[in-house]
Amino acid sequence: MNRLIALDMLRGYALVSIMVNHMPISVMRGWTLPNFSIFDASEMFVLLSGFLVGIVWRSIEAREGRAAARRRFARRAFEVWRAMIIGAVLMALLSAALWALDRPHTAIWNQYAVWVLENPLGFIGTVATFWVQPNIIDVLAVYVILITLAIVVVPLMLRWPLLVAAGSVALWWHAPQLNALIPNHRTENGFLFNPFGWQMLFYTGTAMGLYRERLMAALWPWRHLVTVLAIGMFAFGSAIVIGARIGEPALEFRQALMRVYGTIDKWSLDGTRYLAIAAAAWLVAVPLARVAEWLAASRPGVALQQIGKGGLFSFVACVLLSVTGDAFQMTPADQPMWRRLAVDLWACVTLWWLSVLWLQHGAPWQKARKARKARKA
């Protein structure tokens, strides 16, 4: 399977965006996706993850059969679950260390630091069972669920794609009510990233990966119309964001837009945000494909590729750097912009450096597994 360098670059950008967006007074935060689009890095991360599942599943099934694909994604679900636990513990311990050093931070809830020190095994158990889903790391909780279900959903999608699509939309439609039935530590129950809602975006990405040639063949004769519609949808989402940032002077404009989209609920996957990220995916994949490839081949693009290839390691690193960066930007208070920007740049460079080290020296068990498979081939 040929590596899609633009996909790696976008995954890397999503991780950088997640990192700086969780640093409340970050300078770079003002230049990330939520400032000019109705969706953010969360949608990008989930859609790209689903797309990667689709193309990897197709490749493995073609070479080794469906059973091998199922085993691969069962193992991947375990790896994500393990990364979620390790990341949550490291994040809580880091938070405790920062508080001990008199470095306050607001990127995560302070209670995690208390729980991990008072009852470490209890904290691990509540995270492992999804009873507690620490913020920033919580997207991995829904990711575990969706990859695990992919073992069943993807074969069904290959056989009855339209039926699976209809079922996905039905689950999304009733997502808030269904999520409230899942007990956990939250007063309102359920996952913060509602799995019944976000599954639609994830499996949309999976379908794109599985059927990309057929989808492009069907849409190509209509590409100009689809591009116009995609630009319109993206612009509509951007208008919502810009109107909100303008505030009171744009009140009438905002009210006019609200009559079209109603309300925005990110956590159950809002329909407006879903359509906007789908539109952006088309624009990047078709009219801007050469631009995306050119950017991915540039020096900054290669650095983002390396972050994106770092996978779960890069995700956990971005979480820890987000908490650390937040602490250093908040103390001392009222820092000038250049100092906060310096912390942003330090966090980005460190994330890249750690990702490169991981690609070169990390994951020895993965390299050993690939070597065994190569010898068998």
Side-chain angles (χ1 to χ4, degrees):
M1 181 184 68
N2 294 326
R3 193 105 196 174
L4 300 175
I5 62 172
L7 175 62
D8 288 325
M9 178 190 69
L10 291 172
R11 279 160 54 86
Y13 172 78
L15 290 175
V16 171
S17 186
I18 288 170
M19 180 176 69
V20 299
N21 282 338
H22 286 89
M23 296 159 62
I25 57 175
S26 161
V27 176
M28 289 180 62
R29 182 180 182 177
W31 298 94
T32 53
L33 270 175
N35 295 279
F36 56 86
S37 69
I38 194 63
F39 61 90
D40 60 25
S42 301
E43 281 91 350
M44 180 183 290
F45 178 80
V46 172
L47 182 68
L48 293 175
S49 297
F51 181 78
L52 191 60
V53 166
I55 59 176
V56 171
W57 184 290
R58 185 182 59 177
S59 175
I60 294 175
E61 183 169 312
R63 292 194 321 267
E64 304 173 44
R66 181 162 295 177
R70 282 191 165 121
R71 289 193 299 271
R72 172 67 184 88
F73 283 97
R75 184 170 65 245
R76 183 60 175 172
F78 170 76
E79 290 169 354
V80 177
W81 177 75
R82 180 180 60 194
M84 178 187 71
I85 298 170
I86 293 172
V89 171
L90 291 176
M91 185 178 71
L93 290 172
L94 173 62
S95 178
L98 289 169
W99 281 110
L101 295 170
D102 198 24
R103 289 280 181 177
H105 46 281
T106 59
I108 60 172
W109 193 27
N110 301 336
Q111 191 63 31
Y112 305 141
V114 177
W115 286 342
V116 77
L117 294 180
E118 289 184 346
N119 187 359
L121 292 180
F123 180 74
I124 292 171
T126 55
V127 171
T129 57
F130 306 105
W131 186 261
V132 169
Q133 297 163 34
N135 55 306
I136 312 183
I137 211 84
D138 51 5
V139 70
L140 292 185
V142 73
Y143 194 25
V144 173
I145 300 298
L146 296 177
I147 293 181
T148 302
L149 291 176
I151 298 169
V152 176
V153 173
V154 173
L156 293 176
M157 188 181 292
L158 288 167
R159 186 168 184 178
W160 299 297
L162 295 180
L163 183 61
V164 171
S168 180
V169 172
L171 282 176
W172 169 77
W173 189 263
H174 298 285
Q177 297 83 4
L178 293 170
N179 194 42
L181 299 176
I182 302 176
N184 63 12
H185 85 287
R186 300 173 68 228
T187 304
E188 59 271 38
N189 288 338
F191 285 47
L192 184 61
F193 283 91
N194 186 336
F196 298 100
W198 284 77
Q199 55 79 26
M200 190 168 74
L201 181 60
F202 181 83
Y203 293 124
T204 295
T206 304
M208 290 176 179
L210 289 172
Y211 294 107
R212 57 179 176 152
E213 289 87 358
R214 290 170 59 180
L215 286 171
M216 288 305 301
L219 293 173
W220 190 253
W222 308 93
R223 62 189 180 280
H224 300 302
L225 175 60
V226 176
T227 297
V228 170
L229 293 174
I231 291 172
M233 186 63 231
F234 185 86
F236 178 73
S238 297
I240 296 172
V241 173
I242 293 169
R245 290 174 68 86
I246 293 173
E248 191 66 25
L251 181 59
E252 292 186 8
F253 174 70
R254 291 162 55 199
Q255 289 175 338
L257 292 178
M258 286 185 68
R259 283 192 281 270
V260 178
Y261 70 83
T263 57
I264 300 290
D265 175 18
K266 170 182 177 177
W267 306 115
S268 289
L269 181 62
D270 185 82
T272 302
R273 294 170 69 106
Y274 171 84
L275 291 174
I277 183 66
W282 171 266
L283 294 175
V284 171
V286 182
L288 298 177
R290 290 185 179 179
V291 175
E293 291 289 328
W294 176 79
L295 288 173
S298 67
R299 287 191 177 183
V302 170
L304 289 174
Q305 279 189 61
Q306 291 168 320
I307 294 172
K309 290 177 183 176
L312 290 172
F313 177 85
S314 294
F315 185 92
V316 173
C318 99
V319 170
L320 299 179
L321 288 168
S322 183
V323 176
T324 306
D326 176 37
F328 277 87
Q329 287 179 339
M330 294 191 65
T331 307
D334 302 320
Q335 293 183 38
M337 180 182 293
W338 71 265
R339 287 188 62 175
R340 288 182 285 120
L341 179 59
V343 174
D344 286 339
L345 295 174
W346 166 82
C348 291
V349 171
T350 302
L351 177 60
W352 166 76
W353 176 67
L354 291 173
S355 300
V356 170
L357 287 179
W358 177 256
L359 291 173
Q360 292 178 347
H361 307 293
W365 58 90
Q366 294 179 3
K367 293 177 180 178
R369 186 169 64 238
K370 290 179 180 178
R372 286 196 300 270
K373 291 178 69 175
R375 287 195 295 271
K376 290 180 182 178

